[in-house]
Amino acid sequence: MKILVINGPNLNMLGIREPEHYGRETYSDLENKIKKYCEGKCEVALKQSNHEGDLVDYIQGAYFDNYDGIVINPGAYTHTSIALLDAVKSVQKPTVEVHISDVSSREDFRQISYIRAACISTVSGKGTDGYLLAIDHLLNHIQEDSK
Ligand code: DQA
């Protein structure tokens, strides 16, 4: 099994940006944590960009490069981007939305997620461990689907 983990804008600033919301682990710590967690479970590729179009390209890449599913933290594009929603709908790959912070208890503008409509589930407010939960949701879903 082969999955793609995509991170959106400002997630490269983990460890520096607003530690009260996002903790002290760096993006590189997060990459290592995910790679280690996936060892023996699945193949994983990690992508990060601050640009919406790049994120669309990465999502489309899941189709063209035959990934089995996607875990995505779209960052602030969660709350603004119909392009990311359309991209996930286009590729028809199971996708789990993840947020490090608990977006449901934050500002009103964070209460909308466009991408959620195309996702099989959302993990929010579990810190960077949320990515591991999201990977488990995704792998279970793919396994159930192939039965
Ligand atoms: C975030 C939450 C978003 O509202 C915010 O814009 C981010 C990070 C999270 O991981 O908690 O950049 O997706």
Side-chain angles (χ1 to χ4, degrees), residues 9 11 17 22 73 75-76 78-79 98-101 103 106 110:
L11 289 155
R17 74 181 289 211
Y22 305 115
N73 182 347
T78 306
H79 318 300
V98 57
H99 300 287
I100 296 169
S101 66
V103 280
R106 297 183 64 191
R110 292 185 207 277

Side-chain angles (χ1 to χ4, degrees), residues 4-19:
L4 185 58
V5 177
I6 302 173
N7 276 289
N10 299 307
L11 289 155
N12 58 317
M13 297 297 281
L14 283 179
I16 300 163
R17 74 181 289 211
E18 302 177 273

Side-chain angles (χ1 to χ4, degrees), residues 6 44 47 66 75 102 104:
I6 302 173
V44 65
K47 304 271 187 194
N66 286 314
D102 177 13
S104 70

Side-chain angles (χ1 to χ4, degrees), residues 2-3 9 21 25-26 43 52 55 57 61 66-67 69 80 95 99-101 104 106 108-109 127 129 143 146:
K2 189 169 120 168
I3 66 165
H21 288 303
E25 280 169 275
T26 64
E43 270 181 59
E52 189 175 12
L55 299 172
D57 289 343
N66 286 314
Y67 282 88
T80 61
T95 299
H99 300 287
I100 296 169
S101 66
S104 70
R106 297 183 64 191
D108 286 351
F109 60 80
D129 284 351
Q143 267 155 10
S146 67

